[in-house]
Each structure stands twice: as C-alpha cells, then as structure tokens.
C-alpha cells in the first residue's frame, strides 16, 4: 500500500462521509423522499396494480367514448333510444330506430354488419351500452369535482382551525362535529331535492349536496396533521430565521401535512361516485335519459320482480359501478398500507 | 469600551398547562457585549432555552406568556416590537441554531431552497444571487461539492453535515448575535469537536457575539468568555469562564463541576451526582430553589430567595446566602 491515508482531523472527517450512492430521479426530487416512497410503494402490490389497471381502463373509456359509442343527435350525454316501448330488449337484439354510425372496430370485433344493442336496452328503449360508456364521463366528472371541492373546503377549514387555534379552532371543529352527526346520504338526498326546483334537473344539485356534507373527514385529518407538523423543529427554525407566518404555513407546514389528505381524497372518488349513483337511482339529479350509471340502474326499478328475464338491466351497470369503486378501493388499501408507519422501511 | 449588544432585564416567562402555570423563567437579567461569547449552562428544564426563545418572542403563545421584563437589542426592546419588526431581527441580526439537526430542516424542501429563504427575505437578493451565496456559505462551513449538494434533501446529509447547514443558514445574513441552543448535544463526540472548532473559526472570521446554551461544561470551557449558570428559572451564578472553573461560588455550580468525570480520579470511585431532581416550577419559588438539594443549606435559605450579587473577583456574581469557602452564612 503506497497510498497515504489522510489522518482524520477536525474538519475533513466529515467531508469524507459517504454521500448516498443512490441516484435521485426527477420524481423523487419532485415529491420528496417520504412521498416518493409512498408512490413507489403503491406500484408494488398486485392488488393496487389491479386497481390502477381498472382505473386506467375507465379513463380510456371516458376519453374514447366518441369512438366506442359514436354520439347520436346533438347531445352525446343523452342516451339514444330505440323507440319508446316499455319492455327491455335483450343484448344482441337489432337496433331499429336512431341507429348510430358504425365505428371502425365494430365489424371486425363482433362480425355484425348492423348495430345491435350490445348490452340490451332498458325500459323506454334506452341503450345500456351507451349509458355505461358515456356514463363513465359523468362518473369521473362528478367524482373529481366533488372530491376537489370537498378537499378544498376541508383543507381551508382544517388548516385555519389548526393554525389559529383557540376559539377559532373550537368553533370550526364543533361545526365539523355537527356536520358529522348528520347521516350523509339522507342529508344529501334532502338537500339536493330542495335544490332541484331552484337549479333545475342537472348534475349540480346532487353535487352541491355531496360537497356540503362531504368535507368533514378532510378537515379533521388535515387539522391533526398540521397540529403535529407545527410542533416540529424546522417550523421553529423557520420562525427563528424571520420567515412570515403565511409562508411558514404554505411552504413549510402544508407540504409536510397534506399528503395523507390527498390519499384520502383519491379514495373518496369511488365513494362519491357510489353515493352519486345512489342519489341518481332514487331519481335525484339529471333529467331522465342522461348518461349516468345510477340513472341506468334506476330504469330497472320497475322490473325488479322479473330480473330472471331482464337481468342485463341490472347486471351491466351494476358491474361497471362495482368495478369502478373496487378500482379506487384497491388503490386506497395499498395507500393505507404504504402510509402505515409500521410498514416503513419494508418497502 | 465594548458595545453592549443585548441587555435582558427581569425576564419572566410562564406556561399555561393543564396541570397549572409553570414558571419557566423567573426574572433573568444578563447582557452580551459585541464579539463576546456567553455560555449558559444548567440541567434540562432550568429555563435556558426558554430564556433565549423569549428574547426573540419565539415562545409558543399560547400556552407560553412573557409576563415581565425587557430584552434590549442595541437599545430597542424586542419584547415590545410588533411581528413585522421582530421578524427583521430574527435571522438577520440575531439567529439561532437548534439542538437536533435531524429535525431542524424541512424534509420536503431541498437544502438550496431552504438556504435561499432567509437570504432572499432579509437581503432582498435574487434567486441566482442567493444560490451563489448559499454555495459560498456551504463551502465556508466545509461541505464539499457545495454546488451539487444544494439540490439534495436533508435526509441525504449526515447529522454533522446538517448541523453545518444549520450554522451556514444562521450565519447567512451576517447576524450580530448567534444563539446556539445545545448545537452539539445530538451529535457524537468527534462531530461535536468539529462543530465547536467550526464555530470558533467562524467567530473569528465574522466577529459575531455568541450565546452558547449547553449541558456540557467541557464545551463551555473551550468556547465561552463568560458563563451563566441557570437553575429553576434563575441565573444563580455568573462569572468569567476561568473564575467559574477555578472558584465556583454557588453550591449548584460546585455540584455540576464535581459531577464531571475526571481523568486523574482514583479508580473505583463513584461519580459524584447532585441528589434529588430539579424543581417542578408550578409555583414561583419564594425561597432559594436549590435549597432542597443543597449540601450547604442554612435556615436563611428556607426563608428568602437570594439575589444575584457581586462577590469575589471582578465580574463574578452569585445568588447564594452561603459562603461556600467557609460554609457559613454571608
């Protein structure tokens, strides 16, 4: 050995301390180490991968809706009707009136030259296939908007409560408690049926109702996370270096506290769509014939006693709804596992 | 004649807890001259950190409350300043470093961004300038490849390096006072020595005054000009560093010094420790707070709380009714 070893004196001992060999990717840089671990963890369990695949398929269907089911008439969100007869028709029965254009994939895939009702028709000859395909857009639209709005309300109220503390905190959290005691679907039902005469039949009344009664969980979780982050040393250090309190909240506290809320929010999309379908099934919301899964299901109400013959009016939309919610729940379960502190370091 | 930078008078801080009011600081007065290093020692919970945090109004309020006192920084009372005024002092003229470097940096912000924050805030410089200045600062505290390491996150730094980053951040706006709140407690001994050396070097280069809070009497001996010993929310002895070690006048200081392991001590001798526990400060002490644990205790100690008065050599002040050399009341 001819190499001279440097004697560790004072400063240089530290300089030699190993810089971690791991390369930091842009994603990790963007998300920060903790959040990066959570995101990568999400793609490691089979259940969550299935969940992501399901969600991905639904996203594709929503985007490609005009190709999968070419729109008939002016409003693509209106389910096309093949006549007005009450009795549902079985899958595969030929399409007589209002026949849509035949898309390029249709013939090679089905071997048919004429449009048939792929999944049958519901009461009033609404095409179930169209209802499901275009209803995917409704599902994402309502789910995402309601979740974003509830998260915003929750984060604003929760962080105000946590940041100011004292009577502000008390007031906001007691209001939250009161809202939490109200039964969700019940209140959403009542509130949206009050709103419907004012706003007319559209997606709005149920969405507003669901936003009004859906923000409490987010407010609670962001409040508790902020309360714990607020006590951390780096917040005191930032204060000691003269940083404004608003900046401390937005740059130091919130980015460290918001991730669990975002996870909860992504889970919420499935629940919102389910709740929305429930309201829609009960006849609240959009005008009859609007492409919406709950609406399609509600066509089955009069035929429940003879579902052995008309099974398709329940099974297809029901299955779609189930798969959609399941996709989000699988992802959510994986998120919960990854966020569980006992799982840390196992990755 | 040196200029007085900081002059704290009669500072009292309390905390409202569910169990009652805790009297954490009970009338502390001290001063700090330009370029001077003041060591503050004492057990955990004796009010060292709270005193310093109170001066900058950094005590969480509520539950904390500064009940009385003044903290004059260059003649201006910081305790009467409003939020905007005190923010211009914090980080720019008086900055702090904290005990645990592992938790004092924001885990989701890169080092570069965190360092730029006070620079852009206090010096009003651009992002690019702040970046260049950050690189200089990191090099100053001895972090290699500083330019590359700015984009790293705190978890990619070791404990010693994080404390260096904290020091670099604290010094970034050329403060006149650096308050170091047990900056070496969470580090192992070799790193401790490096950090102490670093601070000494920077003190010479930059000429700032330092308040060094610690449990470690050894560190204080090597860095401080003057030492204050705190107990139960009071300063109970204050002296130039050599006098304090040569001739401690308060029984508590003597106890602390005796509790240090000595290299020339006979083998198999038990390490000395002060009996009892530091007081829970639910009531403001009316008698000497150290009396229950004191080996020299006299009747008078149970009747009245002594005030800090000059004894012995120049600049040596002590709050005790007993003359420890003779063992009699003064």
């Amino acid at each position: 050995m001819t190499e001279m070893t440097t004697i560790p004196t004072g400063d240089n001992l530290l300089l030699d301390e190993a810089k971690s060999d791991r390369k930091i990717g842009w994603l990790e840089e963007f998300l920060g180490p903790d959040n990066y671990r959570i995101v990568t963890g999400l793609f490691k369990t089979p259940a969550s991968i299935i969940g992501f695949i399901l969600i991905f398929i639904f996203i594709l269907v929503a985007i490609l809706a005009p190709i999968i089911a070419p729109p008939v008439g002016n409003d693509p969100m209106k389910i096309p009707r093949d006549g007005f007869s009450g009795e549902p028709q079985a899958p595969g029965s030929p399409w007589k009136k209002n026949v849509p254009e035949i898309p390029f994939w249709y013939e090679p895939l089905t071997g048919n030259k004429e449009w048939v009702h792929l999944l049958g028709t519901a009461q009033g000859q609404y095409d179930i296939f169209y209802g499901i395909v275009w209803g995917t857009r409704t599902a994402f639209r309502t789910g995402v908007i309601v979740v974003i709005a509830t998260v915003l309300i929750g984060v604003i109220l929760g962080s105000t409560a946590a940041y100011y503390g004292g009577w502000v905190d008390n007031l906001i959290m007691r209001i939250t408690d009161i809202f939490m005691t109200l039964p969700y679907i019940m209140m959403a039902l009542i509130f949206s049926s009050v709103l419907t005469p004012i706003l007319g039949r559209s997606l709005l009344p149920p969405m507003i109702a669901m936003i009004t009664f859906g923000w409490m969980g987010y407010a609670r979780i962001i409040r508790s996370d902020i309360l714990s982050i607020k006590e951390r040393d780096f917040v005191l250090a930032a204060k000691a270096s003269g940083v404004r309190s608003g900046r401390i909240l937005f740059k130091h506290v919130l980015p460290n506290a918001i991730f669990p809320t975002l996870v909860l929010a992504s889970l919420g999309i499935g629940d919102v769509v389910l709740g929305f379908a429930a309201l829609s099934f009960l006849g609240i919301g959009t005008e009859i014939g609007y492409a919406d899964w709950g609406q399609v299901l509600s066509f089955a109400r009069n035929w429940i006693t003879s579902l052995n013959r008309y099974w398709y009016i329940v099974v297809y939309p029901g299955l779609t709804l189930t798969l959609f919610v399941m996709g989000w729940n699988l992802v959510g379960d994986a998120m919960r596992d990854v966020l569980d502190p006992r799982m840390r370091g196992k990755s | 004649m040196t200029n007085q930078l900081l002059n704290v008078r009669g500072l009292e801080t309390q905390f409202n807890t569910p169990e009652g009011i805790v009297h954490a600081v009970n009338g502390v007065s001290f001063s700090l001259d330009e370029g001077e290093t003041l060591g503050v020692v004492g057990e955990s919970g004796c009010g060292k950190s709270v005193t310093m945090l109170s001066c900058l109004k950094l005590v969480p309020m509520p539950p904390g409350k500064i009940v009385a006192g003044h903290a004059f920084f260059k003649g201006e009372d910081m305790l009467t300043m409003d939020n905007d005024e005190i923010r211009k002092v914090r980080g720019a003229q008086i900055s702090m470093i904290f005990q645990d470097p592992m938790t004092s940096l924001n885990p989701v912000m890169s080092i570069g961004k965190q360092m730029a924050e006070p620079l852009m805030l206090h010096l009003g410089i651009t992002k690019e300038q702040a970046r260049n200045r950050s690189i200089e600062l990191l090099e100053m505290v001895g972090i290699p490849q500083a330019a590359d390491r700015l984009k790293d996150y705190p978890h990619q730094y070791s404990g010693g390096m994080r404390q260096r980053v904290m020091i670099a951040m604290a010094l970034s706006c050329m403060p006149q006072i650096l308050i170091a709140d047990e900056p070496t407690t969470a580090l192992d001994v070799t790193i401790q020595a490096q950090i102490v050396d670093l601070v000494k070097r920077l003190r010479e280069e930059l000429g700032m005054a330092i308040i060094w809070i610690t449990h470690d009497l050894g560190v204080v001996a090597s860095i401080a000009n003057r030492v204050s010993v705190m107990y139960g929310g009071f300063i109970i002895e204050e002296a130039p560093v050599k006098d304090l070690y040569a001739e401690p006048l308060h029984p508590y200081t003597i106890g602390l010094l005796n509790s240090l392991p000595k290299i020339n001590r006979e083998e198999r001798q038990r390490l000395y420790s002060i009996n009892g526990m530091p007081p829970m400060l639910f009531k403001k002490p009316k008698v000497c707070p150290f009396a229950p644990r004191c080996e020299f205790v006299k009747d008078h100690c149970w009747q009245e709380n002594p005030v800090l008065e000059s004894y012995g050599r120049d600049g040596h002040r002590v709050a005790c009714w007993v003359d420890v050399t003779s063992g009699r009341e003064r």
Side-chain angles (χ1 to χ4, degrees):
Chain A
M1 287 279 278
T2 50
E3 264 176 72
M4 286 272 288
T5 36
T6 35
I7 300 156
T9 58
D11 272 9
N12 72 9
L13 218 166
L14 239 175
L15 313 189
D16 295 339
E17 269 179 54
K19 183 184 172 179
S20 55
D21 300 328
R22 217 156 46 86
K23 268 266 177 272
I24 306 292
W26 63 271
L27 188 64
E28 180 164 9
E29 193 162 312
F30 178 68
L31 292 169
D34 284 353
N35 299 345
Y36 177 74
R37 188 185 51 79
I38 291 166
V39 171
T40 48
L42 281 182
F43 287 94
K44 282 189 179 142
T45 61
S48 67
I49 292 171
I50 293 173
F52 276 116
I53 290 172
L54 281 173
I55 294 168
F56 183 69
I57 291 172
F58 277 107
I59 291 173
L60 276 187
V61 169
I63 293 172
L64 300 178
I67 294 170
I68 298 171
V72 184
N74 303 329
D75 186 359
M77 293 309 286
K78 267 192 146 17
I79 307 173
R81 310 176 68 168
D82 183 9
F84 299 92
S85 143
E87 199 186 340
Q89 292 183 47
S93 42
W95 196 311
K96 291 168 211 121
K97 295 170 194 155
N98 267 333
V99 190
E101 265 176 64
I102 296 176
F104 66 88
W105 56 265
Y106 185 77
E107 218 187 297
L109 220 63
T110 58
N112 268 342
K113 284 207 158 67
E114 305 290 316
W115 257 117
V116 293
H117 296 292
L118 288 171
L119 305 178
T121 62
Q123 173 186 337
Q125 301 313 313
Y126 291 101
D127 185 73
I128 295 176
F129 179 69
Y130 267 74
I132 287 174
V133 170
W134 288 90
T136 312
R137 289 194 167 187
T138 312
F140 276 109
R141 194 173 297 160
T142 52
V144 170
I145 292 176
V146 169
V147 164
I148 288 177
T150 46
V151 167
L152 269 182
I153 296 174
V155 166
I156 290 169
L157 288 177
S159 50
T160 313
Y163 198 73
Y164 288 102
W167 68 269
V168 180
D169 184 20
N170 240 321
L171 181 73
I172 293 176
M173 292 328 284
R174 293 304 77 77
I175 292 174
T176 310
D177 289 345
I178 292 170
F179 269 81
M180 282 209 121
T181 59
L182 305 171
Y184 177 63
I185 281 293
M186 187 74 170
M187 291 311 290
L189 188 63
I190 294 170
F191 193 48
S192 48
S193 45
V194 169
L195 285 175
T196 307
I198 304 166
L199 298 170
R201 287 188 73 98
S202 72
L203 292 176
L204 268 182
M207 276 167 69
I208 293 175
M210 293 180 79
I211 292 166
T212 313
F213 297 100
W215 51 270
M216 295 81 72
Y218 303 119
R220 277 195 174 174
I221 198 163
I222 193 80
R223 173 182 172 269
S224 65
D225 282 324
I226 287 181
L227 283 181
S228 85
I229 297 288
K230 222 171 72 164
E231 300 302 318
R232 301 267 289 272
D233 285 351
F234 63 82
V235 175
L236 181 63
K239 257 186 213 160
S241 62
V243 182
R244 258 180 216 93
S245 57
R247 194 181 153 83
I248 289 179
L249 178 62
F250 287 110
K251 288 278 170 177
H252 292 275
V253 179
L254 263 183
N256 279 289
I258 202 155
F259 210 70
T261 309
L262 294 184
V263 171
L264 194 70
S266 67
L267 266 180
I269 292 179
D271 293 344
V272 165
V273 169
L274 198 60
F276 190 82
L279 290 180
S280 206
F281 180 78
L282 295 170
I284 300 281
T286 55
E287 67 272 23
I288 293 167
Y290 194 86
D292 161 35
W293 299 338
Q295 176 92 241
V296 178
L297 271 171
S298 75
F299 291 142
R301 266 186 306 190
N302 296 337
W303 305 88
I304 279 172
T305 45
S306 44
L307 278 183
N308 50 346
R309 271 185 69 196
Y310 305 116
W311 54 272
Y312 44 87
I313 46 177
V314 171
V315 170
Y316 290 126
L319 195 67
T320 315
L321 192 58
T322 311
L323 287 177
F324 187 83
V325 176
M326 196 172 86
W328 289 103
N329 282 359
L330 287 176
V331 171
D333 279 355
M335 283 203 188
R336 208 184 38 211
D337 287 348
V338 178
L339 281 178
D340 188 338
R342 280 167 298 187
M343 300 287 288
R344 293 245 160 124
K346 285 186 187 167
S347 70
Chain B
M1 181 70 198
T2 47
N3 286 322
Q4 203 170 54
L5 268 184
L6 183 68
N7 186 4
V8 176
R9 291 292 126 208
L11 184 70
E12 284 183 41
T13 304
Q14 302 175 349
F15 288 93
N16 264 312
T17 67
E19 288 84 39
I21 294 172
V22 174
H23 299 259
V25 179
N26 299 312
V28 162
S29 302
F30 66 93
S31 63
L32 183 73
D33 292 342
E34 242 170 45
E36 187 186 28
T37 301
L38 174 69
V40 181
V41 297
E43 282 164 294
S44 298
C46 68
K48 307 183 297 275
S49 301
V50 176
T51 303
M52 298 309 156
L53 290 174
S54 301
C55 292
L56 285 172
K57 289 178 59 171
L58 282 172
V59 177
M61 293 185 259
K65 197 178 169 198
I66 299 170
V67 189
H70 304 280
F72 297 101
F73 172 66
K74 295 201 287 190
E76 271 186 81
D77 190 353
M78 289 190 286
L79 301 185
T80 59
M81 285 183 183
D82 64 30
N83 280 339
D84 278 333
E85 288 171 323
I86 192 117
R87 266 197 311 104
K88 288 184 184 127
V89 176
R90 291 178 192 159
Q93 310 193 54
I94 302 181
S95 55
M96 282 190 86
I97 45 180
F98 295 95
Q99 177 170 350
D100 192 353
M102 309 309 271
T103 59
S104 299
L105 289 163
N106 185 344
V108 304
M109 225 179 183
S110 69
I111 297 290
K113 275 194 191 137
Q114 293 191 54
M115 291 194 68
E117 200 169 43
L119 284 169
M120 288 162 69
L121 187 76
H122 294 300
L123 305 181
I125 58 178
T126 64
K127 245 189 191 154
E128 192 52 39
Q129 289 169 313
R131 196 186 123 80
N132 293 335
R133 177 90 177 108
S134 304
I135 295 172
E136 276 173 40
L137 286 162
L138 286 185
E139 278 165 357
M140 180 180 84
V141 295
I143 288 185
Q145 293 148 3
D148 296 337
R149 305 229 49 185
L150 277 183
K151 64 176 192 308
D152 285 355
Y153 285 86
H155 74 284
Q156 293 166 283
Y157 281 60
S158 67
M161 293 178 102
R162 285 189 218 184
Q163 196 59 292
R164 281 164 192 257
V165 171
M166 293 305 296
I167 292 172
M169 282 172 71
L171 300 182
S172 59
C173 302
M174 293 287 169
Q176 281 150 308
I177 302 177
L178 173 70
I179 299 175
D181 188 353
E182 304 189 31
T184 57
T185 311
L187 305 170
D188 62 57
V189 255
T190 49
I191 312 291
Q192 267 186 31
Q194 293 169 21
I195 295 291
V196 172
D197 285 347
L198 173 69
V199 172
K200 277 193 201 164
R201 198 190 86 213
L202 295 173
R203 177 178 64 184
E204 266 151 47
E205 283 171 20
L206 309 173
M208 73 234 166
I210 297 175
I211 296 176
W212 190 281
I213 304 173
T214 185
H215 309 284
D216 191 333
L217 290 160
V219 170
V220 166
S222 75
I223 200 167
N225 309 117
R226 206 150 53 85
V227 182
S228 290
V229 184
M230 286 195 69
Y231 187 85
F234 297 94
I235 292 180
I236 47 117
E237 184 164 7
E238 194 181 81
V241 65
K242 287 205 178 98
D243 295 347
L244 189 92
Y245 285 80
E247 279 181 65
L249 289 182
H250 196 285
Y252 178 62
T253 316
I254 295 171
L256 281 183
L257 291 170
N258 284 342
S259 318
L260 288 177
K262 290 193 181 64
I263 204 153
N264 55 358
R265 195 195 295 268
E266 301 261 324
E267 264 182 72
R268 299 181 150 275
Q269 198 179 336
R270 276 188 89 92
L271 191 62
Y272 177 84
S273 69
I274 305 172
N275 286 325
M277 294 280 286
M280 298 294 288
L281 297 163
F282 285 119
K283 267 187 233 149
K284 191 172 170 179
K286 293 210 170 59
V287 301
C288 176
F290 190 60
R293 301 170 73 184
C294 184
E295 290 178 5
F296 298 86
V297 67
K298 297 278 178 288
D299 288 347
H300 197 178
C301 303
W302 294 104
Q303 286 154 13
E304 221 180 323
N305 193 1
V307 289
L308 200 60
E309 282 177 293
S310 291
Y311 280 103
R313 268 179 232 255
D314 213 19
H316 200 150
R317 301 196 297 158
V318 66
C320 185
W321 296 120
V322 182
D323 182 352
V324 289
T325 42
S326 64
R328 273 188 243 114
E329 273 183 48
R330 288 189 205 275

